Amino acid sequence: NSAFQSDVTAAPQLVANAINGKPALRFDGGNDYLEAAPSPSLAITGDITSLFVVKFDDFATYRTVWAKTAVNLPRPTDYYLLPNTGIPRVYRGGPAGIGNIDAGEPIPAGSYVIAGFEMAGTTLTHYLDGRDIGSGEITATPVDVGTPLQIGTRADFVTRMKGDIAEILIYNKALSDADRDKATAYLTAKYFTQAQTPPRFTGVRKQGANLVFEWEGNASLEEAGEVNGPWTAGNNAVSPFATTPAAQRKFYRLRF
């Protein structure tokens, strides 16, 4: 499913390096939103799991991530955060009735988090960074009426996203604990785990024809006559390591 905004003045802005070197969409809290056309894959009236990487600037008014509503009614799902507190609330239901469940603790403002919710049968559970932050029962029957799925608002435009959305996952099932942990781990690794900087490794030819290798970290220098080995450990190879060039070619590498 692709989400669009045909009005450029209402389009969220792409921020190329928003979190951990990855992009995000920045919503201004005014008129920014995206819309995905109705489709069977988005008409989720049974179990559902949705996780998202978001940063809310503030909770001055009703904030949202995504919703599928008819005006202000869930058809079948409405997710938003309450003003002032940042407590998440989910409504689900249809023409015969609706129900809602609030989380037991707020989403913090000003920092990226992995938030979301899940409904398994009649039990709806809120999540924050992989933790259960509150659950309850919704017995109303969810119904989809063919409205678009909106990102950053809902159909009456009362709820508004102000902040960044990096990624949204929506599953048409309640994930097992193991699968939900995998989804959370995927988002954590992508957006919150810093990539390790490769260690410095230099080789220069010094005066007197010696080659001198220098490196950082706890590593051992290995050498081989061919790039595919066999590799052997250098004799007393600690940084800096000096060796006299041989008549034949030789390869060096670090092993950590």
Side-chain angles (χ1 to χ4, degrees):
N1 296 279
S2 297
F4 297 93
Q5 177 50 264
S6 57
D7 181 356
V8 295
T9 66
Q13 300 302 302
L14 177 67
V15 181
N17 188 11
I19 172 174
N20 202 27
K22 304 296 190 299
L25 291 178
R26 183 154 295 163
F27 294 74
D28 65 5
N31 66 341
D32 289 358
Y33 73 98
L34 298 173
E35 197 164 86
S39 74
S41 61
L42 295 176
I44 304 172
T45 57
D47 291 354
I48 185 172
T49 303
S50 184
L51 299 171
F52 23 83
V53 176
V54 294
K55 180 182 73 172
F56 296 97
D57 287 353
D58 60 52
F59 299 110
T61 185
Y62 294 94
R63 301 299 183 207
T64 191
V65 177
W66 70 267
K68 205 168 190 298
T69 67
V71 193
N72 65 336
L73 297 173
R75 295 294 186 269
T77 305
D78 189 12
Y79 174 96
Y80 59 82
L81 293 92
L82 295 171
N84 303 315
T85 66
I87 294 287
R89 173 177 291 174
V90 173
Y91 273 96
R92 297 203 84 202
I98 61 176
N100 70 282
I101 297 295
D102 289 358
E105 66 178 88
I107 304 296
S111 60
Y112 284 96
V113 298
I114 302 172
F117 63 91
E118 180 178 86
M119 191 165 182
T122 60
T123 302
L124 189 134
T125 304
H126 290 270
Y127 291 96
L128 174 61
D129 293 330
R131 297 185 296 109
D132 175 340
I133 59 168
S135 62
E137 299 298 311
I138 296 178
T139 58
T141 301
V143 174
D144 188 275
V145 294
T147 57
L149 184 148
Q150 291 168 311
I151 299 171
T153 192
R154 70 182 186 193
D156 65 351
F157 303 107
V158 169
T159 61
R160 291 289 185 178
M161 178 65 189
K162 186 179 182 184
D164 296 358
I165 300 177
E167 187 161 343
I168 298 174
L169 303 177
I170 304 174
Y171 300 91
N172 62 347
K173 63 183 294 185
L175 298 183
S176 66
D177 289 345
D179 283 346
R180 191 172 55 255
D181 288 345
K182 288 179 182 179
T184 302
Y186 153 75
L187 294 173
T188 300
K190 184 174 181 179
Y191 293 103
F192 299 94
T193 302
Q194 295 293 322
Q196 293 186 350
T197 302
R200 181 178 63 87
F201 179 45
T202 60
V204 295
R205 191 162 192 166
K206 298 285 187 177
Q207 189 174 9
N210 278 345
L211 286 172
V212 178
F213 297 100
E214 294 183 87
W215 60 90
E216 298 172 339
N218 183 20
S220 59
L221 185 70
E222 295 182 342
E223 59 184 46
E226 297 294 336
V227 71
N228 60 347
W231 292 87
T232 59
N235 185 26
N236 297 320
V238 295
S239 180
F241 173 75
T243 183
T244 302
Q248 71 275 13
R249 66 180 180 179
K250 190 174 290 187
F251 296 88
Y252 292 89
R253 73 181 185 186
L254 286 181
R255 178 177 291 278
F256 287 83

